[in-house]
Amino acid sequence: MSVDLIGFLGVVLAAYVVPGPDFLVVLRSAAEHPLKGRAAALGAQAGLCVHMLAAALGLSLIAARSPVVFDVVRLLGAAYLVYLGIRAVSAARRAIRERRAGQAETCGAGAERTGTVDPSAGDTEGAATPLRSPEGEAGHRLRQSGFTQGLLTNVLNPKAALFFLSVLPQFVHGGGSTTRQIFFLGSLDVLIGVAAA
């Protein structure tokens, strides 16, 4: 199998340095919990496998030649990112409301006992609390949610499809099986992403 490995590795490493939708989803998931962030990163790499298979089977070529199919994928990807953004904003607002409600209850209870309101009562943000890994069903939900978000963000990202469609063929040589070479280069891309995660 004759492929231009050095050139391909340079392009792939440069692509991983430039943040895209996958990076933002992984970053947001990791901010919620490291376990969810790792699952989102693996989900994004699984999405790359979908694009690799599509490119190897020629489906990406069909999508690129049909503006309607390409626009549908692009719009679905944009809609999903908007949905994730709305969920993130509403979760942040809910957390702020719950924190304020908790502080108000703590301050009110302190005022009943002492007759005064202690403004620092219930403020535990400065306290160092170790981040424990959720177990059982909670851990499973975190992993599943992160993996699904990473997978869908990548699968619905037309740039990832175009990468496999337009960049990979530049490193494939006509001497061997095109499908086998695309599988090899795509697998290498996925493995680099998994190692980076």
Side-chain angles (χ1 to χ4, degrees), residues 13-26:
L13 292 175
Y16 276 112
V17 169
V18 178
D22 299 346
F23 176 78
L24 297 176
V25 169
V26 170

Side-chain angles (χ1 to χ4, degrees), residues 145-192:
S145 171
F147 185 87
T148 302
Q149 288 176 8
L151 174 70
L152 289 177
T153 299
N154 196 303
V155 167
L156 297 175
N157 181 3
K159 288 182 181 177
L162 287 177
F163 174 82
F164 278 95
L165 178 65
S166 61
V167 175
L168 277 184
Q170 298 177 32
F171 301 97
V172 171
H173 295 287
S177 165
T178 302
T179 302
R180 193 178 312 141
Q181 291 179 62
I182 288 177
F183 274 127
F184 174 72
L185 292 173
S187 299
L188 192 59
D189 183 5
V190 170
L191 289 174
I192 291 170

Side-chain angles (χ1 to χ4, degrees), residues 92-115:
R93 287 183 177 172
R94 188 169 45 252
I96 289 171
R97 281 197 305 268
E98 289 171 0
R99 190 172 358 145
R100 286 182 181 164
Q103 287 175 349
E105 288 175 10
T106 305
C107 290
E112 287 176 9
R113 286 194 302 271
T114 63

Side-chain angles (χ1 to χ4, degrees), residues 118-154:
D118 182 5
S120 65
D123 185 14
T124 58
E125 287 184 28
T129 56
L131 183 63
R132 289 182 296 189
S133 181
E135 298 175 9
E137 186 65 27
H140 176 71
R141 278 197 307 268
L142 270 177
R143 285 190 296 272
Q144 187 176 26
S145 171
F147 185 87
T148 302
Q149 288 176 8
L151 174 70
L152 289 177
T153 299
N154 196 303

Side-chain angles (χ1 to χ4, degrees), residues 58-90:
L59 297 178
S60 292
L61 183 61
I62 295 169
R65 288 189 176 174
S66 171
V68 174
V69 173
F70 181 77
D71 286 343
V72 167
V73 171
R74 189 167 49 95
L75 290 173
L76 286 173
Y80 184 67
L81 290 175
V82 168
Y83 163 75
L84 289 179
I86 291 171
R87 275 190 51 190
V89 168
S90 49

